[in-house]
């Protein structure tokens, strides 16, 4: 295959900058995924309920600002939102090692940073998803989502591999300094992107409540979108319930150190990378609609290998199940993100993205809370089994919807073209 064909969108300088910004931001985010709970577990000796509540705080932003975030983002340039939220998240994370060095760090400090960081992440993600169609065009959505998923998967491998040894070397609080630097560099790279969508005119703005309702009505109107949101909400609830106790299980029941935990989480990243590389091909082969429910149906049951593991070699065999979950998850997310972006009219991209996030991510804080409660009441192993069953059953709404037979991406409901981007040199 010619090099130009393999590179595709990466030949575009601005997409290349977004690609690099994604790599650095996601690297910082994956370090947070390992280091933040380990700060609570190792540095503050948090119990199962406190670890679960920390997960809740990290994801509560989806419920608190999920719906208005879309309307606000639709009123602003998406690129500017990405830059400002990256910088603010970097500063928030920086306070943890500073507080630790000053002997001021507490579980409540972690809760506050996790909540603030999570709210900013909502705005960043809504702007990020809404900006992609402006940057690459609708004809390249699947390719763009696949390439960005691929680099996110690479960071899923390298992030825990870096974070695990760093936690053992400098401690979990200081490891978050690397996350802060990654977020700041991501913001600087986003600042260098020259293609900007036109800023919405003040005359186009309407009452916030009406704009939110418009996004909700659009999502609820189409059975395929409704099914994606419900299935995603169920999946995310049980995934976070599972993840809330995964580190506790690996650390306290399997007796693994931070480097070994990082190795297992890197295996998940390998599965995600493979899924990103194969997502376009699998979607074309299986169909863009059917793959949304087939991928998790095949891979979710394999996560049951983890609660079956015993201390020793079997826990590494169980990591194959986690890698399979990541593979199927990336294939599903690429397909459903492309489906949602393809169907949505340009003027509603931010609101529909935020509405989808609000509904499908709404169960995540509850999942973290229930994971902590279940872990305290029944233990980490039983909680993992509950997560396995719930994730597998999440395919039902999509299977019962028109997605079961929709092999092609839909045309946008409102096919009015995007405004010409502002190329500032």
């Amino acid at each position: 295959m010619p090099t130009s064909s393999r590179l595709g969108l990466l030949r575009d300088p601005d997409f290349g900058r977004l690609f690099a910004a994604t790599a650095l931001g996601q690297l910082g985010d994956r370090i947070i995924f390992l280091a933040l709970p380990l700060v609570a577990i190792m540095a503050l000796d948090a119990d199962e309920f406190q670890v679960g509540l920390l997960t809740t705080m990290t994801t509560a932003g989806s419920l608190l600002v999920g719906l208005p975030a879309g309307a606000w983002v639709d009123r602003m340039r998406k690129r500017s939102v990405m830059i400002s939220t990256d910088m603010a998240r970097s500063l928030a994370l920086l306070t943890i090692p500073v507080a630790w060095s000053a002997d001021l760090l507490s579980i409540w400090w972690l809760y506050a940073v996790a909540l603030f960081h999570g709210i900013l992440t909502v705005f960043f993600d809504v702007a990020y998803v809404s900006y992609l169609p402006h940057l690459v065009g609708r004809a390249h959505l699947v390719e763009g989502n696949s390439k960005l998923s691929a680099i996110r998967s690479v960071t899923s491998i390298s992030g825990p591999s870096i974070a695990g040894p760093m936690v053992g070397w400098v401690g979990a609080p200081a490891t978050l300094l690397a996350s802060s630097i990654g977020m700041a560099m991501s913001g600087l790279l986003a600042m260098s992107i020259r293609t900007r969508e036109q800023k919405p005119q003040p005359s186009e703005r309407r009452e916030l409540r009406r704009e939110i309702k418009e996004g909700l009505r659009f999502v609820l109107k189409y059975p395929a979108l409704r099914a994606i949101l419900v299935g995603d909400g169920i999946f995310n609830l049980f995934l976070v319930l599972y993840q809330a106790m995964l580190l506790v299980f690996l650390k306290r029941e399997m007796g693994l150190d931070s480097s070994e935990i990082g190795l297992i989480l890197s295996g998940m990243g390998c599965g995600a990378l493979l899924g990103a590389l194969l997502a376009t091909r699998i979607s074309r082969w299986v169909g863009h609609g059917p793959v949304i429910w087939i991928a998790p149906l095949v891979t979710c049951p394999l996560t049951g290998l983890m609660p079956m593991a015993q201390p020793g070699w079997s826990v590494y065999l169980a990591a194959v199940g986690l890698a399979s979950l990541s593979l199927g998850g990336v294939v599903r997310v690429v397909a459903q993100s492309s489906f949602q972006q393809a169907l949505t009219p340009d003027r509603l991209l931010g609101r529909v993205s935020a509405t989808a996030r609000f509904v499908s991510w709404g169960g995540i804080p509850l999942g973290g809370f229930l994971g902590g409660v279940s872990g305290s009441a029944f233990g980490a192993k039983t909680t993992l089994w509950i997560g396995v069953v719930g994730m597998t059953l999440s395919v039902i709404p999509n299977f019962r919807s028109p997605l079961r037979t929709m092999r092609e991406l839909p045309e946008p409901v409102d096919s009015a073209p995007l405004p010409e981007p502002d190329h500032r040199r």
Side-chain angles (χ1 to χ4, degrees):
M1 183 183 296
T3 301
S4 60
S5 298
R6 291 197 301 267
L7 290 177
L9 285 172
L10 289 175
R11 291 175 295 168
D12 179 82
D14 279 340
F15 183 80
R17 295 182 183 103
L18 179 65
F19 186 84
T22 301
L24 289 169
Q26 288 294 315
L27 181 61
D29 194 57
R30 298 315 295 174
I31 293 174
I32 295 169
F33 178 77
L34 177 62
L36 192 60
L38 288 179
V39 171
I41 294 170
M42 299 172 64
L44 300 178
D45 198 27
D47 58 29
E48 287 81 355
F49 178 77
Q50 289 173 318
V51 174
L53 189 57
L54 181 61
T55 302
T56 299
M57 291 295 178
T58 303
T59 55
S62 296
L63 288 177
L64 295 177
V65 298
L67 286 177
W72 285 326
V73 167
D74 275 341
R75 297 177 176 184
M76 297 177 279
R77 283 191 172 127
K78 280 70 174 172
R79 171 182 165 277
S80 299
V81 176
M82 293 162 56
I83 294 167
S84 58
T85 51
D86 261 343
M87 294 303 185
R89 289 190 296 175
S90 174
L91 290 174
L93 292 171
L94 185 61
T95 67
I96 294 179
V98 170
W100 173 254
S101 64
D103 200 26
L104 296 174
L105 189 64
S106 67
I107 192 66
W108 294 103
W109 193 299
L110 288 187
Y111 290 159
V113 171
L115 179 61
F116 182 65
H117 182 276
I119 290 173
L120 291 173
T121 298
V122 172
F123 284 93
F124 177 87
D125 287 349
V126 170
Y128 182 87
V129 171
S130 305
Y131 184 59
L132 186 63
H134 290 273
L135 187 64
V136 305
R138 293 181 180 275
H140 301 287
L141 283 175
V142 175
E143 181 190 354
N145 282 315
S146 296
K147 281 184 165 56
L148 294 175
S149 292
I151 194 59
R152 285 196 294 266
S153 302
V154 170
T155 60
S156 294
I157 300 169
S158 56
S161 300
I162 295 170
M166 283 187 68
V167 168
W169 179 39
V170 300
T175 301
L176 289 172
L177 179 61
S179 297
S180 176
I181 294 172
M183 292 289 180
M185 293 180 67
S186 173
L188 291 174
L189 274 168
M191 197 179 297
S192 70
I193 296 175
R194 298 179 179 180
T195 300
R196 311 176 192 180
E197 76 277 24
Q198 291 183 357
K199 186 177 181 179
Q201 298 298 318
S203 59
E204 298 174 0
R205 299 179 180 179
R206 298 183 297 167
E207 184 184 354
L208 180 63
R209 184 179 300 178
R210 292 180 59 191
E211 293 180 338
I212 292 173
K213 286 182 178 179
E214 189 175 8
L216 277 170
R217 282 197 302 268
F218 181 85
V219 171
L220 296 177
K221 180 179 179 180
Y222 296 95
L225 286 183
R226 292 201 306 267
I228 287 174
L229 265 59
V230 173
D232 216 27
I234 296 171
F235 177 86
N236 286 331
L237 186 151
F238 286 99
L239 173 64
V240 173
L241 180 144
Y242 187 99
Q243 289 177 333
M245 288 299 105
L246 178 60
L247 292 184
V248 175
F249 179 80
L250 293 173
K251 180 69 179 176
R252 293 179 176 168
E253 297 197 24
M254 295 293 103
L256 303 184
D257 60 29
S258 58
S259 296
E260 292 170 319
I261 294 174
L263 180 61
I264 288 176
L265 296 183
S266 294
M268 294 180 68
C270 290
L273 175 59
L274 184 59
L277 295 175
L278 297 176
T280 301
R281 191 172 302 173
I282 293 175
S283 294
R284 290 173 181 168
W285 177 49
V286 178
H288 292 282
V291 77
I292 293 174
W293 62 269
I294 290 176
L297 180 63
V298 172
T299 57
C300 286
L302 297 176
T303 57
L305 292 172
M306 184 56 70
M308 294 172 60
Q310 300 295 324
W313 64 268
S314 66
V315 71
Y316 294 100
L317 177 62
V320 175
L322 299 181
S324 300
L325 175 70
S326 296
L327 188 156
V330 169
V331 171
R332 175 183 62 86
V333 167
V334 168
Q336 65 188 31
S337 296
S338 301
F339 188 98
Q340 175 185 308
Q341 290 166 339
L343 183 65
T344 304
D346 302 330
R347 62 188 180 83
L348 292 177
L349 280 168
R351 275 165 281 178
V352 170
S353 173
T355 300
R357 183 188 174 99
F358 176 80
V359 176
S360 63
W361 285 48
I364 289 181
L366 179 61
F369 178 78
L370 292 178
V373 171
S374 177
S376 298
F378 308 115
K381 180 179 292 189
T382 299
T383 302
L384 293 182
W385 276 118
I386 295 171
V388 172
V389 174
M391 286 188 288
T392 303
L393 293 178
S394 70
V395 306
I396 293 175
N398 290 320
F399 176 77
R400 291 172 57 86
S401 78
L403 291 167
R404 187 171 64 252
T405 57
M406 294 179 67
R407 297 189 57 84
E408 302 296 331
L409 289 178
E411 293 294 326
V413 175
D414 178 6
S415 57
L418 286 165
E420 287 298 319
D422 179 13
H423 295 275
R424 297 188 179 181
R425 301 292 177 182

